[in-house]
Amino acid sequence: MNKSKIEWCDHTWNPITGCRHNCSYCYAKRMTARFAGDVRLNLMAKKDYSTEPAADNSENVFILDKPMLNETGNILVYPFGFEPTYHKYRMDYPEKLKMGNNIFVGAMADIFGKWVPGEWIRDVMETCLDNPIHNYLFLTKNPERYTEVGVPAGLENMWYGTTITCDADADRFNYLPAGCNTFVSIEPLMGDIVSKHNVMFRQVDWIIIGAETGRNKNKIVPELQWIKDIVVKADYNSVPVFMKDSLVPIVGEENMRREFPKQLQHSEISPKLKAKLFDGCASCKAHLRKSEMITLLARSKRGEQPKQFGFMCRDCFKEFCKGLGLDIPELIGLAESVTIGPGDEDE
């Protein structure tokens, strides 16, 4: 799991890597080439990996049960380059995050590519369902597969998106699953898509816009009007818009929109961490942060180390003090904990 540099998510999680779309502008393919090592040597280490048929009967795809190491003992992040690979050892990554995050699943792949075995996709979905504190965002150029594999529907933390770059592929939004949170990533924006496809803005819950990056000498720089048209249609349909930083030179920082849907604006806490941070007041039973309450300690005899047995909210603690005839303002200002039991001094 990596802390992401992608502006619209917190983390990227890549249990599956690799893609066979062969897009000329793909940043992921360029990146894997830097961290693959010698692919020919890696393929010779047959004891370190396995293969299975691709879902579309194209060339076999790869499976790694554990990380593959090079001759110096360093992990090869993409040992087979940009060939589809299932990294099974990464399946526990969401569980390691204690706070809820917006996780982009498959930033280095098209998880729903037609070559990806259905079992791989189901494994990923099962892990997401087992760790519901996170929001999971999926992005594919093959949205038909969402319905084909039967992705979980009706869940607020599951977001299904598709990539659109120009008029030729703008109808992909029609294949986004019904009854789900959906979004469109218009990146890289390579043409006017509004004039023929304005119905899209009534069917999606979020729109991301970005320009092509990198050193491609033939890259298309979006026209300002293309961007304005998208924003106008989105605003008319109350769809939030997130502009990536690649648009700053075109629209200007003062006109940038970095909006998130309401469901992606909060973070939850894992049950394990919640148990550490929160507890109920011993009196009124209100569930509050432990740090905001008075800690109750007890001991059975003098000289014994007191043991924690509960917490009390400050309002209930005031009532507790009143019942004992104690100076409430002074205690409230000073007390972080209260020990109940015999004192250390003789009475």
Side-chain angles (χ1 to χ4, degrees), residues 116-180:
V116 178
E119 183 180 353
W120 294 11
I121 299 174
R122 286 187 284 274
D123 286 350
V124 171
M125 292 295 161
E126 185 175 336
T127 298
C128 295
L129 294 176
D130 288 342
N131 297 275
I133 65 168
H134 305 298
N135 294 313
Y136 299 96
L137 299 102
F138 302 89
L139 196 56
T140 181
K141 292 181 178 175
N142 188 37
E144 299 96 324
R145 198 116 194 256
Y146 285 138
T147 302
E148 179 187 319
V149 300
V151 296
L155 300 177
E156 281 198 359
N157 68 324
M158 303 292 274
W159 287 76
Y160 305 107
T162 191
T163 297
I164 291 173
T165 62
C166 60
D167 177 69
D169 50 36
D171 65 344
R172 287 178 183 156
F173 75 89
N174 286 312
Y175 297 97
L176 292 171
C180 300

Side-chain angles (χ1 to χ4, degrees), residues 1 13-19 32 35-36 42 48-50 52 61-69 75-94 106-109 111 116-117 120-121 123-124 127:
M1 183 81 68
W13 172 39
N14 292 293
I16 300 170
T17 60
C19 182
T32 56
F35 299 100
N42 299 339
D48 294 334
Y49 69 90
S50 59
E52 68 174 274
V61 291
F62 296 88
I63 301 172
L64 287 171
D65 291 317
K66 60 183 181 180
M68 183 178 281
L69 307 179
I75 293 177
L76 292 165
V77 185
Y78 310 107
F80 311 113
F82 211 41
E83 281 301 301
T85 306
Y86 181 14
H87 304 258
K88 286 190 172 183
Y89 58 91
R90 297 178 181 173
M91 293 302 287
D92 64 343
Y93 283 11
M108 301 297 291
I111 286 184
V116 178
W120 294 11
I121 299 174
D123 286 350
V124 171
T127 298

Side-chain angles (χ1 to χ4, degrees), residues 39-54:
V39 175
R40 291 176 301 174
L41 286 178
N42 299 339
L43 289 171
M44 293 172 63
K46 295 187 180 296
K47 62 180 178 60
D48 294 334
Y49 69 90
S50 59
T51 63
E52 68 174 274

